[in-house]
Amino acid sequence: MFARQNVPRYNVRMRASHLEDFYSFLRFPSISTDDNYSERVSECAHWLVGKLTGIGLKAELVPTPGHPVVWARNQHRGGRRTVLIYGHYDVQPPDPLELWDSPPFDPVLKDGYVFARGATDNKGQILSHILGIQETIEEDGELPINLHLVIEGEEEIGSANLGKFLIQNRDSLKSDVAVVSDTGMITRGVPTLSYGLRGVTALEIKVTGPKMDLHSGVFGGAVANPITALAQLLGTLHDREGRVAIAGFYDRVKSLEDWEREAWRKLPIDGDREVLKETGAPELFGEAGYNSFERLWGRPTAEINGIGGGYQGKGTKTVIASHAMAKLTFRLVPNQEGDEILKLARAHLRKNLPKGVTLDITDGHSGPWYLTDPHSPGGEAAQRALRKAFNADVALIREGGSIPIVSQFRGILGIETLLMGLALADCRAHSPNENFPLENLEGGIRLNKAVLRELAG
Ligand code: BES
Ligand code: MN
């Protein structure tokens, strides 16, 4: 097991049934990206409907061309605020499996942390909403607000069908504000309100040379090698400092304001130190003139997420592969536009393609950035709830990650989103040994009870 420093022994005060719910939820391998798991994804959605019905909500499964949306409501009454709580029950694939210390869909509790795929992202977080709602109904007989709880099964693959769900149910879903806990806490015990997200847009490229794999002795030197060509092409995406070298890429990027850079420097955590500690990278890297928080929250990137081609087995094989591929994503910041960035990227790739090969480009999912005001009335209510639940000052931050649907809550439903996440920097979301501390499940339950009260006004 990997080392966790300074973890105090944790006494589980949590209600046994809450823990049971958490484990049951985590046991579903609700991997949205892999068709082989569709049935399991749907079982997870059914489990949620059962759980939500059990606590007294009216819950239904809304089918989509992909995975179903779980939609639950309480009895709505006039004169009350309406709150839309959003999260996702799908998870990233657990690969590489051999790097897990325990099976990813067989949750275990170690020193107060529950280990399983989805423990933080997003099952632990969304469950803290559900259990907060449950405890509020148990204690008060009802909720102080009108509730829409929307839990989707396609967040990790770009939320392609959720926009349509919002459009089709626009009138019924009319709300005053959205609440999402799919973001991070700056560090343990420091309640955090995030007022921005980066956007993300993806594409896949395939470089093709000869029509089939070739003997590299018989043909090597007389035809271009697609893997070499791909490596050269990918090498043109950045300069040596990590600045993106695509013409026009930064044209619309809004400069960071002095007040914001100053506020981030006053946060109780040093971003540079945190990045070194969490990642194990030998040194910091990135655009000159920015520190790690600024690079992560306020600057755009081009990333190569996957690369393939040629012989990957044991030993050597003297071959020239017919093709090579790579998967790219771009993180976007205000005021970049995904479609425009894809267009610039495609033009750059075509222009810089080495001789002797052809290029195919396929666009992937896309989601815009988000920026809101943490001092709006909703933002202030969120901060009061955060302070109350964690008994500490609230950190105001932006996030490097993306939640594509949040900008559609604004665009389609006309509401702002309060991002009050519970993910820690070492939660290992999307990685082996993903985990969530029970401390945050408990804190999250307290937070959600307080949020409902504060938002009721
Ligand atoms: N929960 C994350 C997004 C996140 C992580 C926001 C950390 C803020 C802090 C979410 O589940 C996620 O991973 N989203 C994807 C979106 C993509 C697949 C369209 C992402 O950011 O890569
Ligand atoms: Mn998530």
Side-chain angles (χ1 to χ4, degrees):
M1 188 183 141
F2 63 87
R4 242 175 211 292
Q5 266 114 43
N6 311 321
V7 178
R9 285 220 78 77
Y10 175 86
N11 294 315
V12 185
R13 300 169 291 260
M14 174 111 25
R15 218 196 271 187
S17 69
H18 286 355
L19 255 189
E20 265 321 302
D21 284 339
F22 194 22
Y23 290 172
S24 303
F25 196 12
L26 289 170
R27 284 191 190 107
F28 295 100
S30 46
I31 306 165
S32 50
T33 196
D34 185 341
D35 290 342
N36 292 319
Y37 287 86
S38 297
E39 213 33 58
R40 317 306 304 278
V41 175
S42 152
E43 283 166 24
C44 186
H46 276 99
W47 179 85
L48 274 174
V49 169
K51 171 68 196 168
L52 295 167
T53 309
I55 66 173
L57 301 177
K58 191 172 133 278
E60 63 186 295
L61 210 71
V62 183
T64 76
H67 303 299
V69 176
V70 175
W71 182 12
R73 282 162 278 190
N74 62 343
Q75 183 66 51
H76 287 198
R77 276 174 222 211
R80 296 201 304 192
R81 293 259 167 71
T82 303
V83 178
L84 185 155
I85 296 177
Y86 160 84
H88 61 97
Y89 65 86
D90 64 320
V91 299
Q92 290 272 331
D95 314 58
L97 279 175
E98 65 278 11
L99 296 184
W100 284 78
D101 295 322
S102 54
F105 297 105
D106 194 356
V108 291
L109 177 64
K110 282 184 238 165
D111 295 329
Y113 288 75
V114 173
F115 289 79
R117 168 56 84 234
T120 285
D121 187 7
N122 176 235
K123 288 175 172 175
Q125 303 188 89
I126 193 67
L127 188 67
S128 73
H129 286 287
I130 296 172
L131 297 176
I133 292 164
Q134 173 180 343
E135 289 194 8
T136 304
I137 296 176
E138 284 169 3
E139 287 162 21
D140 303 343
E142 63 167 343
L143 298 177
I145 46 100
N146 299 332
L147 172 74
H148 286 293
L149 185 54
V150 174
I151 311 176
E152 72 156 317
E154 301 188 290
E155 195 275 346
E156 299 290 6
I157 49 174
S159 301
N161 294 299
L162 195 64
K164 202 184 273 166
F165 167 83
L166 297 182
I167 291 168
Q168 279 167 353
N169 300 288
R170 191 197 314 247
D171 293 337
S172 332
L173 284 169
K174 205 170 146 10
S175 303
D176 295 293
V177 71
V179 174
V180 173
S181 63
D182 199 17
T183 51
M185 256 167 118
I186 184 127
T187 191
R188 269 186 75 206
V190 176
T192 304
L193 180 65
S194 303
Y195 59 93
L197 296 163
R198 285 197 290 191
V200 63
T201 188
L203 55 77
E204 198 168 323
I205 59 182
K206 185 174 167 194
V207 171
T208 305
K211 66 181 177 192
M212 68 254 179
D213 288 5
L214 302 174
H215 189 297
S216 68
V218 177
F219 292 102
V223 292
N225 182 318
I227 300 176
T228 309
L230 178 65
Q232 287 168 341
L233 180 58
L234 295 177
T236 67
L237 285 172
H238 299 92
D239 71 12
R240 299 213 148 236
E241 302 259 78
R243 220 179 128 82
V244 179
I246 297 173
F249 187 79
Y250 291 95
D251 283 2
R252 285 183 201 271
V253 172
K254 189 168 161 288
S255 303
L256 284 164
E257 312 263 356
D258 287 343
W259 67 262
E260 201 172 31
R261 301 181 84 167
E262 198 179 317
W264 292 351
R265 276 195 285 269
K266 288 191 186 135
L267 288 168
I269 285 286
D270 174 55
D272 290 345
R273 196 161 350 124
E274 189 73 3
V275 165
L276 282 177
K277 188 179 105 200
E278 274 319 313
T279 64
E283 59 181 314
L284 293 172
F285 177 83
E287 231 185 313
Y290 298 94
N291 65 31
S292 292
F293 281 154
E294 292 162 354
R295 288 170 180 160
L296 291 171
W297 301 341
R299 301 296 297 170
T301 65
E303 297 289 354
I304 303 162
N305 303 120
I307 185 166
Y311 180 64
Q312 321 243 332
K314 285 207 168 72
T316 32
K317 181 180 182 195
T318 48
V319 66
I320 295 172
S322 160
H323 48 255
M325 59 71 69
K327 290 174 185 276
L328 311 184
T329 52
F330 302 89
R331 292 284 163 175
L332 312 174
V333 299
N335 295 313
Q336 287 178 302
E337 281 169 21
D339 289 344
E340 185 181 28
I341 293 301
L342 282 182
K343 212 165 119 197
L344 295 173
R346 281 194 299 261
H348 174 98
L349 292 166
R350 293 237 152 77
K351 185 170 143 228
N352 289 283
L353 185 69
K355 282 197 293 197
V357 292
T358 59
L359 177 68
D360 290 299
I361 305 177
T362 319
D363 289 352
H365 58 66
S366 206
W369 48 266
Y370 183 70
L371 193 60
T372 190
D373 175 12
H375 301 295
S376 65
E380 294 292 347
Q383 290 188 52
R384 285 195 298 277
L386 283 160
R387 202 170 293 120
K388 211 178 279 178
F390 290 93
N391 195 25
D393 285 340
V394 179
L396 302 180
I397 68 166
R398 276 155 73 177
E399 295 278 5
S402 309
I403 310 177
I405 203 65
V406 165
S407 69
Q408 298 193 49
F409 291 150
R410 180 186 277 169
I412 298 170
L413 302 179
I415 55 176
E416 295 301 293
T417 298
L418 305 170
L419 298 159
M420 293 181 258
L422 303 165
L424 299 180
D426 60 356
C427 70
R428 309 224 169 174
H430 298 200
S431 297
N433 299 316
E434 182 174 352
N435 60 84
F436 192 58
L438 286 184
E439 175 188 296
N440 279 16
L441 187 60
E442 279 187 322
I445 295 171
R446 282 198 307 276
L447 172 62
N448 282 291
K449 292 164 81 170
V451 165
L452 297 174
R453 239 175 279 129
E454 291 294 342
L455 289 177

